[in-house]
Amino acid sequence: MNLIRRLFSPAQPVPVELRRNFLHLYLDIAWWGLLNGSILVFLGVYASRLGASTFQLGLLTASPALMNLLFTFPAGGLLERKPIARLTRWSALAMRIFYFLLIPLPVLLPAGTQVWVILAITLLMNIPGTLIAIAFNAFFAEAVPPEWRGQVAGVRNALFSITTMITALAVGVILDRMPFATGYQIVFAIGAVGAMMSALHLWLVRLPEKPAAVEPQTIGLKNELRSAEKAPLKALRLQSLRLDVLRGAFGRLLVLIFVYQLGVYLIGPVVPKYQVNVLQLSDVTISQASALFWVAHFVGSLQSRRLSQRLGFQRLTGWGLIIVTLTLVMFTYSFQPWIYLAHSLIGGIGWAWIAGGLINFVLERIPADDRPSHLAWFNLINNAAALLCGLLAPLIAGWIGMAATLLLAAALRLVVGVSLCVRRPIKRPRLSLAQE
């Protein structure tokens, strides 16, 4: 409880000029939790109940990665030429308006046609979705001063978990009590409203105006800070993909990350169909499991900072992977609802540890003066794994079966998790403030 109290009650009062922006950033993610607990949780389930094939579910999984690979580099160039605030707001609006197209589908089109329309909507929305995913990080950095970013990010994560949990529970009740088509129309409407309200609060954030003049003695420091802020955008340039980055320890790390991502994304096209056709889970059980997951994820997130100090980011990630390996095996054999609920509860902790450890563990292996090129490869590896799994997972599931595909993904996770736990972490000397 002390951790939660400290999270929502900062040690120092928030300056008056920052309160408005912080409030809108909090409401942005709170409304996004409505979308996450409704459409993002149940869209694959809905497609499975319509009779979508594993191939179609694979396309649904692969479309974000495909759009990311196609539009990341153009988006990076656009972000360096246009104002961040304008691009963030308009790309958020352009992406989220697509969710309204889902609302009439349950009563408008036949089941088979609906699946293909859902795929088309998902594909198109991820074009502006790629832009907002990249732009928001720079937008957040401009809206929140460095000394407040940890506090604001922590509150946002907490609010996201809470609203997702509440929404998932409410959606389960709606789907249980309403006719199939009507119930999903209500679910899609809840998600669409949450998405648009989230976009509205991004429009209401006001970025601070940059000073017209800079004192001569601070010009050098300002230029260094500006270069550091643009580093993530430089990582999006095609020329950042230097082959020399792949040599040595970081190249071997990327192989490990790629295997990890295969273990994550391989189950994407399989899980919705396995839940519906094999485990025969009800929408109520799925919603309850989602709520338990986010409760556990919230608690695990509060503990991940303390655990990272004890274990290090590498081993925190490794133990998280071992936990989600166990829960994937539990999911495979969740022929009783309590097993499925237990897998979500334990899995929330594991994924919280991975979320707190993975990116920090990777950043420890990247030279501070060459982050763009290394991050470009990291981003490419992640999207390539997602796209590859979205296309190949249906074939693998058709060849060896869905249960065996899930266990294959568990084996891949276990290999990476054990490897991270048994390998000696790299100990780097702490940099002085000037060096940092």
Side-chain angles (χ1 to χ4, degrees):
M1 289 301 296
N2 289 334
L3 282 173
I4 298 174
R5 193 177 298 113
R6 286 201 298 270
L7 182 65
F8 287 100
S9 301
Q12 297 180 347
V14 179
V16 176
E17 65 273 14
L18 297 177
R19 291 176 187 172
R20 183 179 186 275
N21 280 352
F22 289 7
L23 175 62
H24 288 302
L25 288 171
Y26 295 154
L27 292 173
D28 153 55
I29 200 68
W31 282 107
W32 187 262
L34 264 72
L35 172 67
N36 188 60
S38 54
I39 293 179
L40 299 186
V41 169
F42 282 94
L43 187 59
V45 175
Y46 176 67
S48 297
R49 296 200 187 283
L50 291 176
S53 65
T54 311
F55 172 72
Q56 290 172 318
L57 293 172
L59 292 179
L60 189 64
T61 303
S63 57
L66 176 61
M67 293 297 101
N68 202 307
L69 287 171
L70 291 177
F71 291 98
T72 289
F73 295 118
L78 186 63
L79 286 167
E80 290 190 321
R81 297 193 305 270
K82 301 294 184 182
I84 287 293
R86 185 185 304 170
L87 284 174
T88 301
R89 292 162 183 158
W90 282 107
S91 59
L93 180 63
M95 177 198 178
R96 295 167 193 191
I97 202 167
F98 279 96
Y99 288 112
F100 282 95
L101 300 179
L102 296 172
I103 299 173
L105 286 185
V107 296
L108 192 64
L109 298 170
T113 307
Q114 284 187 56
V115 175
W116 288 111
V117 172
I118 289 171
L119 289 172
I121 291 172
T122 305
L123 197 68
L124 291 174
M125 76 164 56
N126 277 290
I127 298 175
T130 299
L131 189 58
I132 180 62
I134 298 167
F136 181 79
N137 290 329
F139 181 81
F140 182 84
E142 288 193 23
V144 183
E147 64 271 19
W148 285 101
R149 287 174 192 165
Q151 170 71 22
V152 173
V155 174
R156 280 171 56 86
N157 289 338
L159 289 172
F160 177 71
S161 299
I162 292 168
T163 55
T164 297
M165 175 194 66
I166 295 172
T167 304
L169 288 174
V171 163
V173 174
I174 291 169
L175 293 176
D176 182 53
R177 298 184 178 181
M178 300 295 292
F180 176 77
T182 306
Y184 272 99
Q185 281 188 291
I186 295 173
V187 170
F188 294 156
I190 291 172
V193 169
M196 293 306 294
M197 290 300 295
S198 171
L200 171 64
H201 286 288
L202 291 180
W203 279 80
L204 294 175
V205 172
R206 292 291 176 262
L207 298 185
E209 294 185 5
K210 297 181 179 179
V214 180
E215 294 296 326
Q217 62 267 30
T218 64
I219 290 178
L221 178 59
K222 291 287 185 182
N223 288 338
E224 288 184 19
L225 291 174
R226 191 176 297 111
S227 297
E229 289 176 356
K230 287 187 176 181
L233 299 182
K234 290 180 180 178
L236 301 173
R237 294 176 179 172
L238 187 59
Q239 58 265 37
S240 293
L241 295 176
R242 298 195 336 256
L243 293 178
D244 61 288
V245 170
L246 300 179
R247 303 191 191 102
F250 191 74
R252 293 191 294 272
L253 174 61
L254 286 180
V255 172
L256 207 60
I257 296 298
F258 184 69
V259 175
Y260 154 73
Q261 296 291 5
L262 291 178
V264 172
Y265 290 113
L266 191 63
I267 69 171
V270 177
V271 166
K273 201 167 185 65
Y274 195 79
Q275 287 175 324
V276 172
N277 293 353
V278 179
L279 301 179
Q280 297 183 345
L281 298 169
S282 67
D283 288 331
V284 173
T285 303
I286 294 172
S287 70
Q288 291 171 343
S290 178
L292 284 174
F293 175 90
W294 286 106
V295 170
H297 192 278
F298 175 55
V299 174
S301 297
L302 294 176
Q303 297 295 327
S304 62
R305 181 176 180 179
R306 179 178 59 83
L307 287 172
S308 68
Q309 293 173 344
R310 179 186 301 178
L311 301 173
F313 291 121
Q314 175 180 314
R315 285 180 176 154
L316 179 65
T317 306
W319 281 110
L321 270 169
I322 291 173
I323 290 174
V324 300
T325 298
L326 170 65
T327 58
L328 184 54
V329 175
M330 291 175 65
F331 169 80
T332 306
Y333 298 101
S334 295
F335 295 104
Q336 296 293 327
W338 71 267
I339 303 176
Y340 181 73
L341 295 174
H343 118 272
S344 289
L345 182 65
I346 301 171
I349 296 173
W351 285 113
W353 291 6
I354 293 170
L358 179 62
I359 187 61
N360 291 296
F361 154 59
V362 171
L363 288 173
E364 286 179 337
R365 269 62 179 174
I366 296 177
D369 59 349
D370 195 19
R371 283 183 181 146
S373 299
H374 289 73
L375 290 174
W377 276 108
F378 179 72
N379 184 64
L380 181 63
I381 286 294
N382 290 343
N383 285 294
L387 179 59
L388 186 65
C389 288
L391 297 176
L392 293 184
L395 300 177
I396 296 173
W399 179 39
I400 65 175
M402 288 190 288
T405 304
L406 295 171
L407 295 177
L408 173 61
L412 294 174
R413 296 179 184 187
L414 184 62
V415 167
V416 179
V418 171
S419 176
L420 293 179
C421 286
V422 301
R423 290 174 62 183
R424 185 184 300 275
I426 296 176
K427 292 188 177 181
R428 298 182 182 275
R430 282 187 59 83
L431 299 175
S432 67
L433 187 59
Q435 287 174 305
E436 289 179 342

